[in-house]
Amino acid sequence: MKKTCTQIAAIAGLALVAACTTPSQRGTEVTRFHLGQVIPAQAVNLEPADPERESSLEYQQYAAIVAQQLAGIGFAETSLEDAEMIAVVDVQRGTREEVARRSPFSIGIGGGSFGRRTGVGIGTSFGIGGSQGGEVNVTELSVALKRRSEGTVVWEGTATRVTAPGAESPAAIVSTLAAALFQGFPGESGRTITVE
């Protein structure tokens, strides 16, 4: 009986862990578009999609995160005068309500009879996965690479992540988004992928 109770406790614990899946564990959705041409690594200048944000500390923090990822694929941040490539950066943050989702899976635990004349039965089930619903944070990072001389966009991408309120700092979320966005640069054009 001791072994059976231990097994029940282990399965119940596993079910509870699975049921506690948070929105941030769903991964980051990434979509990229480009012309199908080689984009050589080169000097790049970063600017906000909204010029009024350029002097804000928030934008500067996000721009530094994007610049770090660009440096990782060979682009070197420089002044506007020395750059032919411009990286236009935009970060949008908001909230939305999510409807609770019922788990499509469940674990059933059943007990048998113990003793010679008395029987004890245990029966229960646990949902695995699903969500409790409620308010979640949605953060979107968009970056477009365009030629300074003619204004032609040669590559653009968007990464979106849903997180539980307070689960991660905005900077940490943008870091995750930027890493996912430039993973395998330039990526497959027109396809939305999920990066874990």
Side-chain angles (χ1 to χ4, degrees):
M1 179 166 176
K2 185 176 180 181
K3 183 177 178 182
T4 303
C5 289
T6 303
Q7 289 174 340
I8 291 172
I11 293 172
L14 179 65
L16 289 174
V17 168
C20 293
T21 301
T22 62
S24 63
Q25 292 174 313
R26 294 183 200 156
T28 300
E29 285 194 354
V30 175
T31 307
R32 296 170 281 199
F33 294 93
H34 53 81
L35 303 175
Q37 302 170 353
V38 175
I39 304 171
Q42 57 192 285
V44 64
N45 181 259
L46 281 75
E47 64 181 40
D50 180 357
E52 293 184 3
R53 294 186 179 182
E54 188 163 11
S55 60
S56 77
L57 294 176
E58 182 182 31
Y59 164 73
Q60 291 173 14
Q61 184 179 35
Y62 298 156
I65 291 168
V66 172
Q68 184 179 19
Q69 288 297 323
L70 285 168
I73 56 175
F75 288 81
E77 184 180 11
T78 188
S79 64
L80 180 61
E81 295 76 18
D82 297 328
E84 166 60 9
M85 191 67 71
I86 307 294
V88 182
V89 179
D90 188 35
V91 175
Q92 298 291 330
R93 300 177 60 232
T95 60
R96 75 178 185 212
E97 288 291 324
E98 281 207 339
V99 178
R101 293 177 300 159
R102 187 173 179 181
S103 169
F105 304 103
S106 64
I107 291 179
I109 302 173
S113 297
F114 302 97
R116 294 174 63 187
R117 296 183 180 167
T118 59
V120 178
I122 302 173
T124 186
S125 65
F126 297 90
I128 298 179
S131 70
Q132 296 179 350
E135 188 176 83
V136 295
N137 293 335
V138 182
T139 308
E140 180 181 277
L141 168 66
S142 298
V143 179
L145 297 177
K146 67 178 184 179
R147 294 192 183 99
R148 178 186 169 206
S149 58
E150 58 189 47
T152 303
V153 175
V154 298
W155 182 93
E156 62 183 346
T158 301
T160 307
R161 189 167 181 83
V162 177
T163 56
E168 299 175 79
S169 71
I173 295 170
V174 173
S175 292
T176 300
L177 292 171
L181 189 58
F182 292 104
Q183 182 177 306
F185 178 86
E188 185 177 343
S189 185
R191 182 184 171 203
T192 299
I193 63 171
T194 300
V195 179
E196 297 299 333

